[in-house]
């Protein structure tokens, strides 16, 4: 058995001396020694000559790859006989004196062994294990099966078959090398070892890792400790490209068909994560690597042709050695988790192991515990809390989980899908209700995005947000306070107390989607604000962008939350601005982001100050208590349907008062109480100021107040544990405090489960517009729905042929238009006669609907009007139609006669055919005037206003086709600007990657090697 050692050097003089020393000191002497100098400029060639002699060194150009260098030596070196082995060594790879003997001993015992590799350990810290065999997943991601910076304690020792071993210390039979064609010259660096070993396994040979053989590797190329001249590409890009190339070149055809889309998707996902982690260069490397493989099909086809022999027959054996599917999914989860935790997606860049930041002291204990999946999940207090709150919510909401349409209270029946919501938000004009060119509320875009994630199911997105607000708020509170409160028990109490506040049960019962979203986000606001004020500058700035983005989401659903956060943010800027540098700027960013992102809609909302106090959905007087007592507000109960008795929060108040008596954290407790007092004061104002005839619901400010109170109490939770450990009366006091603290959430949960959801929100809500009316309103005609309010007044809603989408009811309506229509409807319902019903037709109305129970007086008035004809009257309500509807467009003649015209869609606008006629005629569109333009065949048509509200145009005397459009240029332009702004804020708010200490310089002396038999000191 003959062995030829080939050492390839390239600018590696700082490692080469020790490598050569290891080669020459082998206990099993080498038969032939050859060195290759790939154009070294640091004296490496001279060192090889000193060790091997002038005739033992081959000099090649600097651009020569490793595989080419080995092939050049073997082309000049005749065979040493049967059974010759080739030992490949890098210049930064120092073998242990017994390495070759250990490899040969295993080779002699297994006649099918063709390629053997040693255990590889780190050059500097020689206790760290880098590799004991390598495999890949089906996307080509390298997998060593090791933890980052894992110490070698013999846990992986043994001889086993692997998919590949590194060329650093690889021992290969020469006859197998020549049969397979050696290393692929198209792979000058990275993954050439994987390709060779894959081909060997496909040919029926075995690739073994021998852990008794040890080498120490500096990984100079992958760690970028020297300049790469064999390729001009970045090491990361080259590694990824070669990985995909090897996979696609060696897979059988059927597996290749799955591999291509798999790699495309994996590359895009990883690219997005890298972009969000603020690593654009790495993301670009991923994309370019994929393009460079798929963009050169000829190269790939030639490689597949060269590997055709045995590829399909040997694949079953290769497949066994791939990374298991479960591990691949775990790697994806770890990658996403790494991004979310701020460490960035792990990127090995062709190394034997991923380099990440050192674990902190707090994380160390968790890393030492290798718990199973079930233990990790069900042993986590946060998971158990989420499961418990979900069980409580499901039990309490048992009547709302299944059934028909979800609606009632402040929530309109949930109809439509994600595409409908996207169309509503992006449309410059909304043909709904009265018609409006105003900005759609931004929360529509948020719901549309969430509905898209739920496969277009808006009902599912709304159900998760509204019906799931209790467990979501609990999880949000538990996670958000992990950096504030160290005690898991205190965090569990905090999260449970917050999630089961009276506000939460009231939100579900009344269908208050806006408050539900804010309720879930408030703990995140508190955590991010704390980071903005106390975090280091870079981290605080990132938290400021995140706070601004989440605050924009909350403001879109309930504008009042911005006012609350802005006031406290201003106080924080004054208090900490002079103490901590950059706090004022960070807080300014957080407050400016919502204004910029929501600017047009926010300005539209602020123009009617009362709407700032409202939230997404319907504002109905029956949902609020007009005379909410002071004790309810002081005990954080907002009133309205579904709210538990006010005494359930007495325990929380008592616990927070007890926190004031403790000496530690007094300042934080006082601040928490200050937030509570501020929130209660705002709640008092909100509950007393009428908006559209009724006060707003004070749920948002009371949730805000409760947040400060609960955090203040929970921060002193460790003191309760200290009292308990002290024994005696202090232990009794601690037990009393715990019982009082937990009494509140337990009572709310029990009452909620017992009584269920007691409010107007329900399943199986019927469509407001009947099927008959919907089928006969194809031209966009409206249906006026009349309802008797609890106060006795008759209210009305204008719908266009269908149940309104979420967000359409929040579109503003000019007061003049609403007042004019209200007068007409009042005349129709009063039965006073006249032309009120005829006038109703000019608004584009075709039907009048009255849900059950139908007031006899209203029924009689509608039946007696000659311009109305009853369609049906049943237990579900009544429906009347106009006998002479005008539709959405009509022609007003000089004599006052009105002739209906057929309105058709034409691109983004409408078209109507006007008959010829003499005199001053007006084309009337039953839409609010403003922003409209019309064009006939003769040119633009002059616009005018009809009846003080409707859009009109001077009808051309010659008649013909007239196209009508609403100006949406500014609206569309702002949508693109908003999209760019959201993307920028998302990138600035994303965790990014934590900076790590620079890798140590490998010119430094390595740690002393262990004595034989000693693995770890």
């Amino acid at each position: 058995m003959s062995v030829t050692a080939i050492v390839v050097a390239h600018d590696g003089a700082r490692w080469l001396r020790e490598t050569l020393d290891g080669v020459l000191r082998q206990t099993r002497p080498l038969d032939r020694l050859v060195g290759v100098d790939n154009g070294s400029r640091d004296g490496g060639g001279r060192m090889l000559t000193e060790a091997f002699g002038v005739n033992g060194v081959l000099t090649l150009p600097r651009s020569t790859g490793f595989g080419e260098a080995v092939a050049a030596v073997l082309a000049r070196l005749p065979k040493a006989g049967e059974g010759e082995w080739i030992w490949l060594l890098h210049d930064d790879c120092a073998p242990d004196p017994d390495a070759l003997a250990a490899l040969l001993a295993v080779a002699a015992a297994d006649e099918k062994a063709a390629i053997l590799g040693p255990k590889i350990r780190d050059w500097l810290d020689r206790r760290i294990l880098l590799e004991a065999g390598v495999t890949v997943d089906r996307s080509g991601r390298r997998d060593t099966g090791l933890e980052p910076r894992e110490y070698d304690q013999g846990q992986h020792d043994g001889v086993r078959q692997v998919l590949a071993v590194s060329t650093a210390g690889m021992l290969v039979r020469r006859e197998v090398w020549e049969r397979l064609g050696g290393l692929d010259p198209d792979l000058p660096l990275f993954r050439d070892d994987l390709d060779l070993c894959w081909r060997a396994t496909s040919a029926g040979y075995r690739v073994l890792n021998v852990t008794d053989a040890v080498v120490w590797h500096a990984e100079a190329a992958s760690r970028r400790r020297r300049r790469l001249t064999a390729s001009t590409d970045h090491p990361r890009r080259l590694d990824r490209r070669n990985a995909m190339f090897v996979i696609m070149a060696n897979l059988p055809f059927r597996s290749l068909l799955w591999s291509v889309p798999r790699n495309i998707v994996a590359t895009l996902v990883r690219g997005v994560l890298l972009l969000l982690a603020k690593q654009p260069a790495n993301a670009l490397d991923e994309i370019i690597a994929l393009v460079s493989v798929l963009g050169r099909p000829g190269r790939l086809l030639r490689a597949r042709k060269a590997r055709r022999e045995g590829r399909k027959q040997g694949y079953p054996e290769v497949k066994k050695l791939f990374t298991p599917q479960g591990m691949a999914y775990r790697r994806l989860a770890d990658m996403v988790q790494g991004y979310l935790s701020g460490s960035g997606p792990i990127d090995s860049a062709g190394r034997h192991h991923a380099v990440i930041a050192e674990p902190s002291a707090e994380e160390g204990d968790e890393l030492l515990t290798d718990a199973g999946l079930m233990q990790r999940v069900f042993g986590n207090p946060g998971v158990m809390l989420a499961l418990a709150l979900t069980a409580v919510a499901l039990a309490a909401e048992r009547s709302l989980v299944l059934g028909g349409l979800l609606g009632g209270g402040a929530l309109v029946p949930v109809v439509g899908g994600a595409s409908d919501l996207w169309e509503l938000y992006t449309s410059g004009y909304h043909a709904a209700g009265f018609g409006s060119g105003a900005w759609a509320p931004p929360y529509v875009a948020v719901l549309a995005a969430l509905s898209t994630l739920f496969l277009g199911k808006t009902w599912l997105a709304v159900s998760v947000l509204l019906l799931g607000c209790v467990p979501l708020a609990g999880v949000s509170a538990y996670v958000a306070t992990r950096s504030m409160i160290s005690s898991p028990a205190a965090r569990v109490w905090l999260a449970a107390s917050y999630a089961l506040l009276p506000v939460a049960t009231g939100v579900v019962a009344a269908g208050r989607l806006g408050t539900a979203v804010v309720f879930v986000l408030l703990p995140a606001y508190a955590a991010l604000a704390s980071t903005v004020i106390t975090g280091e500058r870079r981290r605080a700035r990132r938290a400021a962008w995140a706070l601004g983005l989440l605050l924009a989401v909350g403001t879109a659903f309930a504008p009042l939350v911005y006012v609350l956060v802005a006031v406290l943010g201003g106080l924080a800027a004054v208090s900490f601005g002079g103490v901590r540098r950059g706090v004022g700027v960070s807080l300014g960013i957080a407050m400016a982001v919502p204004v910029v992102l929501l600017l047009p809609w926010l300005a539209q909302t602020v123009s009617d100050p009362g709407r700032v106090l409202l939230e997404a959905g319907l504002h109905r007087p029956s949902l609020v208590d007009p005379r909410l007592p002071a004790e309810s507000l002081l005990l954080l109960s907002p009133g309205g349907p579904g709210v538990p008795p006010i005494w359930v929060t007495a325990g929380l108040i008592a616990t927070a008062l007890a926190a004031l008596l403790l000496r530690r954290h007094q300042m934080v407790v006082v601040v928490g109480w200050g937030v509570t007092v501020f929130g209660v004061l705002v709640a008092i104002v909100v509950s007393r100021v009428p908006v559209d005839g009724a006060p707003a619901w004070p749920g948002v400010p009371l949730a805000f107040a409760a947040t400060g109170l609960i955090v203040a109490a929970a921060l002193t939770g460790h003191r309760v544990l200290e009292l308990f450990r002290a024994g005696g009366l202090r232990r009794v006091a601690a037990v009393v405090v715990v019982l009082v603290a937990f009494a509140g959430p337990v009572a709310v949960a029990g009452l909620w489960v017992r009584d269920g959801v007691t409010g107007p929100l329900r399943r199986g809500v019927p469509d407001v517009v009947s099927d008959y009316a919907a089928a006969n309103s194809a031209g966009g005609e409206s249906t006026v729905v009349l309802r008797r309010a609890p106060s006795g007044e008759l209210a009305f809603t204008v719908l266009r042929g269908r149940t309104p989408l979420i967000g359409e009811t929040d579109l503003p309506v000019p007061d003049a238009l609403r007042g004019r229509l209200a007068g007409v409807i009042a005349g129709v319902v009063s039965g006073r006669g006249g032309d009120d019903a005829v006038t109703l037709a000019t608004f584009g109305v075709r039907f009048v609907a009255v849900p059950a129970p139908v007031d006899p007086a209203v029924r009689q008035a509608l039946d007696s009007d000659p311009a109305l004809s009853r369609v049906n009257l049943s237990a579900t309500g009544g429906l009347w139609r106009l006998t002479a509807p005008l539709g959405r467009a009509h022609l007003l003649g000089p004599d006052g006669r009105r002739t209906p015209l057929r309105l058709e869609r034409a691109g983004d606008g409408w078209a109507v055919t006007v008959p010829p006629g003499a005199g001053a005629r007006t084309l009337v569109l039953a839409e609010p005037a403003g922003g409209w333009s019309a064009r006939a065949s003769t040119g633009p048509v002059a616009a005018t206003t009809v009846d003080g509200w409707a859009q009109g145009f001077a009808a051309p005397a010659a008649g013909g086709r007239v196209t009508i459009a609403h100006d949406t240029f500014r609206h569309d332009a702002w949508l693109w600007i908003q999209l760019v702004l959201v993307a920028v804020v998302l990138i600035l708010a994303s965790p990014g990657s934590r900076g790590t200490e620079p890798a140590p310089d490998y010119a430094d002396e390595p740690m002393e090697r262990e004595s034989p038999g000693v693995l770890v000191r």
Side-chain angles (χ1 to χ4, degrees):
M1 186 179 290
S2 169
V3 180
T4 299
I6 302 176
V7 181
V8 181
H10 173 73
D11 291 342
R14 47 182 161 176
W15 312 284
L16 183 56
R17 189 171 301 280
E18 185 173 350
T19 297
L20 295 175
D21 181 61
V23 172
L24 296 173
R25 291 174 55 198
Q26 288 299 303
T27 57
R28 195 285 189 189
L30 289 153
D31 299 288
R32 291 190 291 188
L33 286 167
V34 180
V36 183
D37 177 25
N38 288 346
S40 298
R41 296 175 179 174
D42 61 351
R46 185 174 61 254
M47 296 172 65
L48 286 173
T49 302
E50 292 174 357
F52 300 157
V54 176
N55 296 327
V57 178
L58 177 64
T59 301
L60 297 174
R62 287 180 61 79
S63 60
T64 307
F66 184 85
E68 290 179 286
V70 175
V73 170
L74 295 179
R76 293 168 171 81
L77 196 67
K79 287 186 178 181
E82 294 297 327
E84 182 183 3
W85 291 83
I86 306 167
W87 196 24
L88 306 181
L89 293 160
H90 300 183
D91 56 5
D92 61 344
C93 167
D96 182 79
D98 296 322
L100 179 59
L103 292 171
L104 290 174
V106 174
D110 189 343
E111 62 180 15
K112 297 193 69 175
I115 300 177
L116 300 94
K119 177 197 300 182
I120 299 178
R121 292 162 73 178
D122 190 57
W123 182 277
L124 277 184
D125 189 343
R126 306 223 160 174
R127 300 167 297 179
I128 293 177
L129 186 60
L130 300 184
E131 180 181 313
V134 174
T135 185
V136 292
D137 62 18
R138 287 158 181 79
S139 296
R141 302 288 176 185
R142 192 179 184 98
D143 185 8
T144 63
L146 305 176
E147 296 294 331
R149 299 187 63 81
E150 181 176 340
Y151 281 1
D152 181 14
Q153 304 179 73
Q155 67 272 32
H156 298 287
D157 280 2
V159 177
R160 58 181 173 275
Q161 185 177 5
V162 294
L163 180 60
V165 294
S166 172
T167 51
M170 174 189 287
L171 184 69
V172 54
R173 291 183 190 269
R174 182 165 183 174
E175 60 179 317
V176 174
W177 172 281
E178 292 177 347
R179 176 187 170 187
L180 298 176
L183 296 172
D184 189 340
D186 285 337
L187 303 173
L189 290 170
F190 308 133
R191 307 306 180 106
D192 49 351
D193 49 6
L194 171 64
D195 177 64
L196 176 64
C197 294
W198 188 322
R199 287 184 280 134
T201 303
S202 295
Y205 300 106
R206 285 165 58 85
V207 178
L208 302 177
N209 177 252
V210 182
T211 55
D212 286 343
V214 179
V215 299
W216 289 270
H217 196 193
E219 300 178 307
S222 61
R223 293 178 188 262
R224 284 169 277 170
R225 289 301 170 186
R226 60 177 162 200
R227 184 180 181 85
L228 302 182
T229 57
S231 174
T232 58
D233 287 329
H234 189 282
R236 183 181 296 105
R237 183 184 305 173
L238 185 63
D239 171 74
R240 186 69 190 118
R241 184 187 70 192
N242 290 352
M244 288 186 285
F245 178 81
V246 170
I247 286 288
M248 295 182 189
N250 286 284
L251 282 174
F253 181 72
R254 292 181 61 182
S255 299
L256 175 66
L257 295 179
W258 169 239
S259 176
V260 172
R262 180 190 184 101
N263 273 282
I264 292 174
V265 172
T267 298
L268 293 177
V269 171
R270 189 174 178 84
V272 170
L273 286 176
L274 288 168
L275 279 176
L276 293 177
K278 304 181 183 70
Q279 299 178 24
N282 296 350
L284 184 63
D285 286 340
E286 288 280 330
I287 301 299
I288 293 179
L290 176 66
V291 173
S292 65
V293 173
L294 299 181
R296 298 177 61 186
R299 175 176 178 247
L300 185 59
L301 288 175
R302 287 193 300 271
R304 288 186 58 80
K305 183 178 180 180
R307 294 160 174 78
R308 180 173 51 194
E309 183 180 354
R311 177 170 55 208
K312 184 176 181 181
Q313 293 78 6
Y315 182 64
E317 189 66 27
V318 172
K319 190 175 181 181
K320 296 176 184 177
L321 303 173
F322 279 153
T323 300
Q325 285 280 11
M327 293 299 295
Y329 293 128
R330 180 177 177 181
R331 170 179 286 184
L332 176 62
D334 290 343
M335 182 173 65
V336 176
Q337 181 182 5
Y339 159 70
L340 295 175
S341 66
S343 61
I346 294 176
D347 183 23
S348 65
R351 304 178 185 182
H352 296 288
H353 65 288
V355 177
I356 61 172
E358 290 284 352
S360 65
E362 295 177 357
E363 297 171 326
D365 292 340
E366 295 177 332
L367 293 176
L368 292 175
T369 304
D370 185 18
L373 176 63
M374 298 297 289
Q375 182 179 344
R376 290 198 304 270
V377 172
F378 294 103
N380 189 313
V383 173
M384 297 307 297
L385 170 72
L387 292 175
L389 291 175
T390 301
V392 170
L394 288 174
E397 298 164 354
R398 51 191 176 271
S399 62
L400 303 175
V401 176
L402 301 174
L405 293 179
L406 180 67
L411 182 69
V412 298
V414 183
V415 297
S419 59
D420 299 308
L421 293 183
W422 283 123
E423 182 179 0
L424 171 62
Y425 185 69
T426 57
S427 296
Y429 185 82
H430 312 289
F434 289 91
S436 176
W439 296 91
Y443 73 79
V444 173
V446 178
L447 285 179
L450 189 59
S451 300
T452 302
L453 295 178
F454 285 110
L455 305 179
K457 309 297 184 183
T458 301
W459 65 267
L460 184 57
V462 172
S463 298
V464 169
L465 288 177
L466 183 59
L467 304 184
C469 71
V470 168
L472 287 177
V475 172
S476 174
Y478 184 84
V479 173
T481 54
R482 65 184 183 276
S483 61
M484 304 180 194
I485 301 169
S486 59
S487 170
R491 286 168 58 200
V492 167
W493 171 82
L494 177 150
S497 298
Y498 179 79
L500 292 169
L501 284 169
V503 172
T505 60
V507 159
V508 176
R512 296 187 178 277
L513 183 61
T515 304
V517 172
V518 172
F519 188 64
V520 173
L521 291 178
L522 274 180
Y525 293 164
L528 290 171
S530 174
T531 303
V532 168
I533 294 172
T534 63
E536 58 90 17
R537 190 171 181 180
R538 184 176 178 182
R539 185 162 169 256
R541 194 61 49 85
R542 191 166 59 236
W545 290 106
L547 175 59
L549 183 62
L550 291 183
L551 185 57
V553 173
T555 304
F557 282 91
L560 181 60
V561 72
Y562 180 84
V563 178
L564 296 171
V565 175
V567 171
L568 292 183
L571 293 175
V574 172
S575 302
F576 297 96
V579 180
R580 295 187 61 84
R581 187 179 178 184
V583 169
V585 176
S586 296
L587 288 172
I589 290 173
M591 294 301 102
V593 167
V595 175
V596 173
L597 293 183
L598 308 178
L599 186 59
W601 171 82
L602 202 58
Q604 174 182 287
T605 302
V606 173
S607 63
D608 184 5
R611 299 191 64 82
V612 175
L613 304 180
L614 302 181
E615 60 181 293
L618 302 174
H619 175 53
R620 290 177 171 172
S622 59
L623 301 179
V624 295
D625 189 344
R627 299 182 179 276
L628 192 63
E631 57 268 24
S632 292
L633 293 171
L634 293 176
L635 289 172
L636 308 176
S637 179
V643 175
I646 61 174
W647 52 262
V648 295
T649 54
L652 170 61
I653 305 296
T655 305
L657 287 172
L660 288 171
L661 303 178
L662 301 176
R663 296 180 181 179
R664 298 181 189 175
H665 300 292
Q666 276 193 339
M667 179 59 68
V668 179
V669 173
V670 170
V671 170
W673 269 100
V675 173
T676 300
V677 172
F678 171 65
V680 171
L681 291 176
V682 174
I684 293 173
V685 175
V686 171
S687 65
R688 297 296 187 268
V689 176
V691 181
D692 294 339
W697 196 61
V700 170
L702 286 182
F704 203 87
T707 301
L709 197 68
I710 294 174
V711 171
L715 280 170
T716 58
H718 65 284
R719 292 286 294 140
V720 176
L721 183 60
E722 293 175 3
L723 291 174
F724 182 82
R725 290 172 177 170
L729 293 177
R730 294 186 178 184
R731 173 172 294 183
V732 174
V735 172
V736 171
V737 169
V738 171
L739 292 176
V740 171
F742 277 94
V746 171
V748 173
L751 292 172
W752 200 30
V753 171
R754 186 196 69 182
D755 300 333
V757 176
T758 55
L761 184 70
R762 67 184 191 277
R763 283 283 184 184
V765 178
D767 281 332
V768 180
V769 179
S770 67
D771 293 340
Y772 178 86
N776 288 274
S777 301
E781 296 89 349
S782 300
T783 299
V784 173
V785 181
L786 304 178
R787 279 192 175 88
R788 184 72 66 182
S791 61
E793 298 180 355
L794 197 65
F796 69 92
T797 304
V798 178
L799 305 176
R800 293 206 188 184
R802 58 171 173 76
T803 300
L805 297 172
I806 291 180
E808 287 184 342
T809 56
D810 287 328
L811 294 171
V813 180
D815 292 337
L817 174 57
R818 179 179 288 276
R820 183 177 179 84
L821 183 58
V824 172
I825 293 175
V828 173
V829 174
S830 66
R832 66 188 179 191
D835 296 331
D836 289 315
V838 176
T839 305
L840 192 62
T842 65
F843 288 85
V845 175
R846 184 164 189 175
F847 294 98
V848 177
V850 184
V854 180
D855 189 321
V858 173
R859 182 194 64 196
Q860 183 177 358
L862 297 178
D863 283 339
S864 62
D865 196 311
L868 294 170
S869 174
R870 185 201 295 178
V871 176
N872 64 58
L873 182 65
S874 63
T876 60
L879 181 68
W880 287 260
R881 64 178 176 84
L882 272 69
T883 56
L886 294 175
R888 303 309 305 179
H890 64 271
L891 189 64
L892 178 62
D895 57 354
R897 288 188 59 188
R898 299 177 186 261
T899 305
L901 299 175
R902 181 179 177 82
L903 195 65
E904 301 174 347
R905 293 295 300 186
D908 294 333
W910 289 272
V912 63
T913 301
V914 178
R921 301 179 305 163
T922 304
L923 171 61
V924 183
L925 190 65
E927 306 287 350
W932 294 95
S933 62
R935 174 174 287 274
S937 58
T938 57
V941 179
T944 184
T945 301
V946 181
D947 296 334
W949 71 275
Q951 180 66 56
F953 300 97
R961 183 180 175 87
V962 178
T963 57
I964 306 170
H966 196 274
D967 181 20
T968 61
F969 174 78
R970 289 183 297 174
H971 178 274
D972 295 342
W974 171 251
L975 285 180
W976 285 108
I977 295 173
Q978 189 180 56
L979 178 63
V980 172
L981 291 174
V982 169
V984 170
V985 174
L986 271 172
I987 292 173
L988 293 173
S990 60
S993 58
R994 297 191 187 118
T996 58
E997 293 297 321
D1001 191 345
Y1002 280 84
D1004 296 339
E1005 288 296 323
M1007 293 180 62
E1008 182 181 346
R1009 295 185 189 176
E1010 297 85 350
S1011 58
V1014 179
L1015 293 173
V1016 179
R1017 296 176 189 171

